[in-house]
Amino acid sequence: MCNTPEFPILEKQNWLIHLHYIRKDYEACKAVIKEQLQETQGLCEYAIYVQALIFRLEGNIQESLELFQTCAILSPQCADNLKQVARSLFLLGKHKAAIEVYNEAAKLNQKDWEICHNLGVCYIYLKQFNKAQDQLHNALHLNRHDLTYIMLGKIHLLEGNLDKAIEIYKKAVEFSPENTELLTTLGLLYLQLGIYQKAFEHLGNALTYDPTNYKAILAAGSMMQTHGDFDVALTKYRVVASAVPESPPLWNNIGMCFFGKKKYVAAISCLKRANYLAPFDWKILYNLGLVHLTMQQYASAFHFLSAAINFQPKMGELYMLLAVALTNLEDTENAKRAYAEAVRLDKCNPLVNLNYAVLLYNQGEKRGALAQYQEMEKKVNLLKDSSSLEFDSEMVEMAQKLGAALQVGEALVWTKPVKDPKSKHRSTSASKAANFPQPLGSNQALGQAMSSAAAYRKPPSGAGGTSQLTKPPSLPLEPEPTVEAHPTEASAQIREK
């Protein structure tokens, strides 16, 4: 009878530690680890490694970092230990230190795509996008992964380059055609660009592979809502509500559906819920301000629009809506200041100048009104030359009346009025009359609202551990879900009483 060789004492319990870990029986795992470390006087590398993984899963990142550093001392030539040290540093927000450790790990293993990927993610957090792109391209060269494509696309989105982002996601979909996250992201990007056919195609493919994909359903509902199919959109949102009942974009979109159906109280109720769930989302605050303006609740509108401006101080339309509220609150001087800021920030929207001109005309400042009217005509000409946009009929009518009142001719530079409220060019709201002869634009009723496509969540955070037969490796660093269907601001029409 042959004698069975004994395992070295340092490793004889490793199989049991691994078994408890992959079963997620962490209490039993910690008990075995404690016993093993007592027997080995704290020199069992694997026990320390798994203990550190458990600490990180429990949220004790600093403790896990110290244990991984101990593993790196016990086995300095092991790249996995250094990768875990770097990962804990990343989760603690020490991105520069994480980069240094990843570079040390890369010296031990130069063909590890994960190290290149994670270096790219760290550089993203440091806003060094060129270095991040280089590292992510290196990772793709070593081994193609969906997550690397996602992060590379995210860089282009952060830089505002939608075309490059779409190219990256198209390559990703070719590599992984059944990845619903990639399909949904690509669909949302096309939706943001107004390419509805391709958007619908990719969102439909995502729903084919995963009929319960709430992001794709939310995006499809948003597209229907954009085209005025509010009842169909609400049906889609009902499905999403059962999956993610606390989604701020969902309740924002539901609120704007009710706004489009002119059910303003229900709209405010849903938007307030969205605002409770995401108090720093300026789009929700924008829409709340718009609905309150529609209901002629100007003080509440001022409150929400001011809050939106704090989060989005460089958007001209917000200042224009704020000026509308101030005009109706009879604060003409501050309304003028708000319009002046709106004109300074918004170089494209002729409605800003039109509303400002109406206010100045109603205040008897015909020279200023004429200057704004002429600036509006310049913007309209530029829009006509650069695109085939058609303008809302009420906007054209208001401009014609103002032109006649200012004696600058009755023929306007626009094309013939468009009666379709879904015309491509949409703007926001209007002005109130003062006690002046022939007032224009009095107490505008804000028209049919639309909510839109996709917004991108920028703040990322790291992801937590995993397991493997020997040492559970670190995973590629990744953000939280990259894309969620989210409405942009609602749009409205000018309407004269």
Side-chain angles (χ1 to χ4, degrees), residues 158-205:
L158 290 172
E159 292 178 331
N161 195 331
L162 292 183
D163 292 332
K164 283 190 176 180
I166 285 175
E167 288 302 314
I168 292 295
Y169 283 113
K170 283 169 68 176
K171 291 179 182 178
V173 168
E174 289 174 5
F175 168 69
S176 183
E178 296 183 10
N179 186 314
T180 55
E181 183 179 354
L182 291 172
L183 288 167
T184 303
T185 303
L186 190 54
L188 289 171
L189 289 174
Y190 280 126
L191 191 59
Q192 191 173 15
L193 293 176
I195 307 174
Y196 296 113
Q197 184 175 354
K198 288 188 176 181
F200 197 78
E201 176 186 341
H202 286 90
L203 293 171
N205 289 339

Side-chain angles (χ1 to χ4, degrees), residues 350 380 383-384 387-393 395-396 414-427:
V380 170
L383 286 173
K384 283 177 63 182
S387 65
S388 58
L389 293 176
E390 295 178 322
F391 299 94
D392 186 86
S393 59
M395 178 179 175
V396 175
W414 278 297
T415 57
K416 61 182 180 180
V418 179
K419 296 181 180 179
D420 182 7
K422 300 174 188 175
S423 58
K424 293 182 181 178
H425 179 75
R426 289 213 168 256
S427 321

Side-chain angles (χ1 to χ4, degrees), residues 216-229:
I217 297 172
L218 185 57
S222 177
M223 200 184 324
M224 295 168 187
Q225 185 175 349
T226 301
H227 290 84
D229 298 329

Side-chain angles (χ1 to χ4, degrees), residues 15 112 131 173 182 475:
W15 68 273
D112 189 336
K131 290 184 178 180
V173 168
L182 291 172
L475 281 180

